[in-house]
Structure formats: structure tokens, C-alpha cells
């Protein structure tokens, strides 16, 4: 009896089959249109008068194989730098966002300094920050000055910390004030309220933009080569200088794209999940 109740009717089975056919048709049409566009682009590019010269200068298999090991070794430096800078930038951004949301006139100097920090480093180009920290700080000749790799990483941290601080602040301020009041009425301190009530909701709500900024950081770690460390970009630059061929840049670019694909996929999945949760809640 229960099987008959849960068994779909003939009309329902027809609707399911129709939707399945429509899905397959849409996928086939998308694949066909993509293939047609790809073929047209390939024909247009390879049929250009200067294609042979461009292929030799940018897509040489021999040059790619020659410099791939050096570029991979430099990419390992980029990966390590990305992990460290991402963690530190997230921590710094959360700290600055928390300072900017402090209430009361006694905290005005703290809020002013945090606001000035975010305004300054969100406006400064990252390249200028790297130059200032990697070349300006060693010029002071202070004892214990770290190397250019650490200073370049610090430039990435303070710059992206400013962007992430605004993302965190938006998440914190999206929590309704009544929840803070309810937590305080239950006897929780301000620190306990932020830790157990506000921050868990805020971080969950701003997870997609946080991941987007992490993807952007993954690209910008290549700018640390401006300070001198031999990362993937610097290794490619050395190869270009030695062979007068731009293929190493293409190799480095492809490796950066492959490195970003998993994180981009996670970002899209989190964004889609958040949108579905919001639609279900609405």
C-alpha cells in the first residue's frame, strides 16, 4: 500500500522524462556551440599572417620543456607564499574588522586608525606597496631586517588584509543587533558574544567573497618577483632573457591557472550553496 502511495503517477513520470530529455538536449547544444566557437577562433588565429612567428615566439615546445623544471621550482615558492599570506591576511582582516566595529567613544582612536589603515591600503597599488616594503625598509639599515621575500609577503598581507577587513566588517554588521542584545542579556560578555554569536554567522555569510579575494591573492603572489625572489614569474623572466622567447611566460601562466582551478571550483560551489540556502530561507 505504501509503495503505491509513493510511486509517481504516469503524469509525473512523463514530466521527469521530459525534463531529462530537455537537460540532455541543453548539454548537447552547449557542447556543440562551444565546439563551433572554438573551431572558428582556432581558424581565425592560425590563419593570421603572423601566426607562424607568434607560435615560434610564444608557443615553442622545445623552450617550454627546457624551462619547465625551473618554473615548477619557482611555483613551489609561490604556493608556500600563498598559504602563509592567505592565513595571515585573513587573521589581520578579521582583527581590523573587529576593531572597526568597537562601540563607545573611548575606542574612537582605535576605530580611526583601523579606518585609516583600510582606506590607505585599499587605495595604494600593490606594486607600490611591494616596492616600499621590499626596498624602502632595507634602506633604513635596521638590525634584524628580514629578507626581501618576507618583506614582499608582508606587502601582500597588509594590502589584502585591508580588503578582507571590509569583507569581514560587512559580515559582522549584517548580524541583526537584536542577537547581540539577546546574547548580552543572557550574561555573555562582548568577547563571548562576538566569538559565539556574531563571528560564526558573519564568516558563514561572507565565505564566497573571502574565497574570491583568496583567488585574487593567488594571482598576485607572482608580483613578489619584483622584489627579487626567484618564483615562477622570475624563473620565466630569466628564461625569456636567455632565449629571447616568450614561451616561459606562457608556461608560468598556464601553471598559475591550473593552480587556481581547484580554489575557483570551491568558490563557485560555496557561492551556489549560499544562494540555495538563502533561497530556501526566503
Amino acid at each position: 500500500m505504501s509503495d503505491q502511495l509513493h510511486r509517481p503517477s504516469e503524469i509525473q513520470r512523463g514530466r521527469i522524462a521530459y525534463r531529462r530529455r530537455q537537460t540532455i538536449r541543453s548539454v548537447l547544444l552547449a557542447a556543440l556551440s562551444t565546439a563551433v566557437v572554438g573551431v572558428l577562433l582556432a581558424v581565425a588565429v592560425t590563419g593570421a599572417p603572423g601566426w607562424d612567428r607568434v607560435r615560434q615566439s610564444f608557443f615553442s615546445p622545445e623552450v617550454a620543456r627546457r624551462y619547465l623544471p625551473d618554473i615548477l621550482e619557482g611555483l613551489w615558492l609561490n604556493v608556500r607564499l600563498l598559504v602563509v599570506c592567505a592565513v595571515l591576511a585573513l587573521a589581520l582582516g578579521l582583527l581590523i574588522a573587529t576593531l572597526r566595529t568597537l562601540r563607545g567613544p573611548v575606542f574612537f582612536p582605535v576605530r580611526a586608525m583601523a579606518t585609516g589603515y583600510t582606506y590607505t591600503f585599499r587605495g595604494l597599488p600593490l606594486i607600490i606597496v611591494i616596492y616600499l616594503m621590499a626596498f624602502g625598509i632595507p634602506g633604513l639599515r635596521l638590525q634584524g631586517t628580514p629578507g626581501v621575500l618576507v618583506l614582499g609577503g608582508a606587502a601582500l598581507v597588509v594590502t589584502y588584509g585591508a580588503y578582507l577587513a571590509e569583507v569581514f566588517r560587512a559580515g559582522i554588521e549584517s548580524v541583526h543587533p537584536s542577537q547581540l542584545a539577546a546574547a548580552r542579556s543572557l550574561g555573555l560578555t562582548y568577547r563571548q558574544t562576538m566569538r559565539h554569536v556574531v563571528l560564526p554567522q558573519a564568516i558563514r555569510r561572507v565565505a564566497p567573497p573571502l574565497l574570491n579575494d583568496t583567488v585574487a591573492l593567488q594571482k598576485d603572489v607572482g608580483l613578489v618577483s619584483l622584489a627579487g625572489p626567484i618564483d615562477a614569474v622570475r624563473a620565466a623572466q630569466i628564461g625569456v632573457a636567455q632565449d629571447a622567447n616568450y614561451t616561459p611566460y606562457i608556461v608560468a601562466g598556464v601553471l598559475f591557472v591550473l593552480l587556481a582551478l581547484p580554489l575557483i571550483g570551491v568558490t563557485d560551489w560555496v557561492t551556489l550553496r549560499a544562494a540555495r540556502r538563502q533561497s530556501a530561507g526566503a
Side-chain angles (χ1 to χ4, degrees):
M1 184 68 178
S2 60
D3 294 338
Q4 294 179 354
L5 292 176
H6 293 287
R7 184 179 303 169
S9 64
E10 188 67 27
I11 296 177
Q12 289 177 328
R13 289 197 296 269
R15 288 175 179 175
I16 294 173
Y18 173 77
R19 291 172 182 171
R20 186 181 296 112
R21 290 194 301 269
Q22 288 296 108
T23 301
I24 296 174
R25 179 173 178 271
S26 299
V27 171
L28 293 176
L29 286 176
L32 179 61
S33 61
T34 302
V36 170
V37 172
V39 170
L40 292 177
L41 288 175
V43 171
V45 172
T46 58
W51 166 244
D52 291 335
R53 190 170 184 177
V54 170
R55 181 180 59 184
Q56 183 180 0
S57 299
F58 288 88
F59 303 100
S60 172
E62 295 80 7
V63 176
R65 285 193 296 268
R66 187 181 310 139
Y67 292 103
L68 179 60
D70 294 336
I71 297 174
L72 283 174
E73 184 178 355
L75 186 68
W76 174 235
L77 175 62
N78 291 117
V79 172
R80 289 178 291 169
L81 189 64
L82 170 63
V83 173
V84 175
C85 290
V87 173
L88 294 179
L90 287 169
L92 178 61
L94 182 59
L95 174 62
I96 297 299
T98 304
L99 295 178
R100 287 199 64 182
T101 56
L102 292 175
R103 297 293 181 260
V106 69
F107 293 113
F108 175 78
V110 177
R111 293 196 302 269
M113 288 189 293
T115 302
Y117 161 77
T118 55
Y119 283 8
T120 300
F121 285 98
R122 287 171 67 199
L124 275 176
L126 177 57
I127 292 179
I128 294 179
V129 180
I130 292 176
Y131 280 143
L132 288 174
M133 299 197 70
F135 301 123
I137 293 180
L140 298 175
R141 300 182 179 180
L142 301 174
Q143 292 185 354
T145 301
V148 291
L149 178 60
V150 176
L151 294 174
L156 292 169
V157 170
V158 297
T159 300
Y160 271 89
Y163 288 101
L164 295 174
E166 289 302 287
V167 175
F168 279 121
R169 186 170 71 93
I172 291 173
E173 293 183 348
S174 69
V175 179
H176 199 275
S178 62
Q179 299 195 35
L180 280 76
R184 298 303 297 272
S185 66
L186 293 175
L188 297 180
T189 64
Y190 178 79
R191 180 181 300 178
Q192 292 173 333
T193 301
M194 292 293 295
R195 178 182 177 184
H196 298 290
V197 178
V198 177
L199 290 181
Q201 299 182 67
I203 294 175
R204 184 170 61 249
R205 293 178 182 180
V206 298
L210 288 177
L211 289 172
N212 280 325
D213 284 336
T214 306
V215 172
L217 176 61
Q218 182 268 328
K219 296 185 302 179
D220 285 343
V221 291
L223 294 175
V224 77
S225 62
L226 296 172
I230 302 180
D231 68 333
V233 178
R234 178 65 71 180
Q237 186 179 20
I238 294 173
V240 170
Q242 290 178 347
D243 279 22
N245 189 290
Y246 294 99
T247 302
Y249 281 144
I250 302 299
V251 174
V254 171
L255 291 177
F256 270 100
V257 172
L258 295 177
L259 179 64
L261 285 178
L263 187 56
I264 293 174
V266 172
T267 302
D268 292 340
W269 177 77
V270 172
T271 303
L272 181 61
R273 184 182 179 186
R276 289 177 176 175
R277 185 187 297 115
Q278 185 175 2
S279 299

